[in-house]
Amino acid sequence: LSRVIHVVLIRHHNMPPVVKPIFEEDIHPLDEKVDFITLPTREVIWRFVSFIFRKQRLSAECGVMAAAYVDRLLSYTCITLRPSNWRRVLLGALLLADKVWCDLSVWNVEYARMFPRTTVEDINRLEAEYLYSLQFDLILRPSVYAVYYFELRSLAEDGWHMQPLDKEKAIALEAKSRGAEEEMKIKQIKEQRSKSLMPTSGGGADNRSKKAVAVSTASALSVQEFRQYFTKTGVGE
């Protein structure tokens, strides 16, 4: 996983930057890291990945899933991976992978505690904006998982001890990811509904009413329709 991130960083280095503020550490810092110009070495990326895996006791499968979610994020948003955003992009992908693999039994506060300059509210927002950026596309079918598994295995320089998922586990992963997609969709709908009822400055009742109608409408949609609806209305922005 660290090698994939390193390769993408190098590839994107000379491209015009395309950013999304929620992923930028100069806006939402994780710790005291201040160098957002120099490309990180693969060793630096590996240490960051290993730190999260060790602290959260992630399974090896989460690395494969995170690779898929990072790839989808870059494809859906066209953002460029940069020294200032790669850690938050990777953190968000690992958080989602952890939740899918563990059937959502993961607390965001556990991730917030790893970094001295972040908060639960920041991790919550990172998760929410990641989901909207992915258009809630969390499903990992066996064939898709296999593509990322073998791609990562081909890049591994040291011994690769992780086995591919057997048929039973692959089917279970697809079911888990499908269920997580639906559960996270419902969670975001509830949170948007809650926000729509809170007092706001500017727009007043009209603004709250429009947003409430948007969220109410979305609650009756299928997952696919939900993605399209929120993309068009901008409710998820």
Side-chain angles (χ1 to χ4, degrees), residues 51 56 108-116 118-120 123:
F51 170 72
Q56 299 302 325
N108 286 5
V109 66
E110 296 172 356
Y111 278 77
R113 285 173 180 161
M114 293 191 299
F115 302 101
T118 192
T119 62
V120 178
I123 298 298

Side-chain angles (χ1 to χ4, degrees), residues 60-85:
E61 289 80 6
C62 286
V64 179
M65 297 161 66
Y69 291 148
V70 169
D71 192 23
R72 288 181 187 177
L73 178 77
L74 300 182
S75 297
Y76 286 10
T77 65
C78 295
I79 66 172
T80 49
L81 215 55
R82 299 148 37 85
S84 60
N85 69 6

Side-chain angles (χ1 to χ4, degrees), residues 3-143:
R3 187 171 184 183
V4 168
I5 297 299
H6 188 245
V7 167
V8 176
L9 278 163
I10 293 173
R11 190 176 300 160
H12 286 187
H13 187 55
N14 294 319
M15 294 172 59
V18 179
V19 302
K20 199 171 178 66
I22 189 62
F23 299 117
E24 294 295 317
E25 274 199 74
D26 50 354
I27 302 174
H28 303 284
L30 295 176
D31 50 31
E32 301 304 324
K33 173 178 163 58
V34 293
D35 185 0
F36 299 129
I37 299 176
T38 307
L39 282 176
T41 63
R42 200 187 322 161
E43 174 67 21
V44 167
I45 300 171
W46 179 85
R47 287 202 302 266
F48 181 76
V49 173
S50 298
F51 170 72
I52 297 176
F53 267 77
R54 185 175 66 255
K55 285 289 187 179
Q56 299 302 325
R57 299 180 181 178
L58 300 183
S59 67
E61 289 80 6
C62 286
V64 179
M65 297 161 66
Y69 291 148
V70 169
D71 192 23
R72 288 181 187 177
L73 178 77
L74 300 182
S75 297
Y76 286 10
T77 65
C78 295
I79 66 172
T80 49
L81 215 55
R82 299 148 37 85
S84 60
N85 69 6
W86 70 269
R87 296 202 308 172
R88 287 178 66 87
V89 166
L90 194 48
L91 174 63
L94 287 169
L95 171 62
L96 292 181
D98 192 9
K99 288 194 171 187
V100 170
W101 187 253
C102 295
D103 289 324
L104 302 175
S105 58
V106 175
W107 295 91
N108 286 5
V109 66
E110 296 172 356
Y111 278 77
R113 285 173 180 161
M114 293 191 299
F115 302 101
R117 295 191 63 187
T118 192
T119 62
V120 178
E121 291 75 19
D122 178 42
I123 298 298
N124 289 345
R125 189 179 174 206
L126 175 64
E127 177 189 7
E129 295 214 24
Y130 219 113
L131 288 167
Y132 285 116
S133 296
L134 291 180
Q135 299 176 35
F136 287 77
D137 186 6
L138 297 179
I139 296 175
L140 287 171
R141 295 178 176 82
S143 58

Side-chain angles (χ1 to χ4, degrees), residues 196 203-217 229 235:
S196 73
D206 288 342
N207 188 45
R208 293 195 300 275
S209 176
K210 288 178 181 178
K211 205 152 197 175
V213 169
V215 173
S216 177
T217 301
Y229 183 83
V235 174

Side-chain angles (χ1 to χ4, degrees), residues 153 156-162:
R153 192 175 76 170
E157 295 180 343
D158 302 323
W160 179 270
H161 305 293
M162 178 185 173

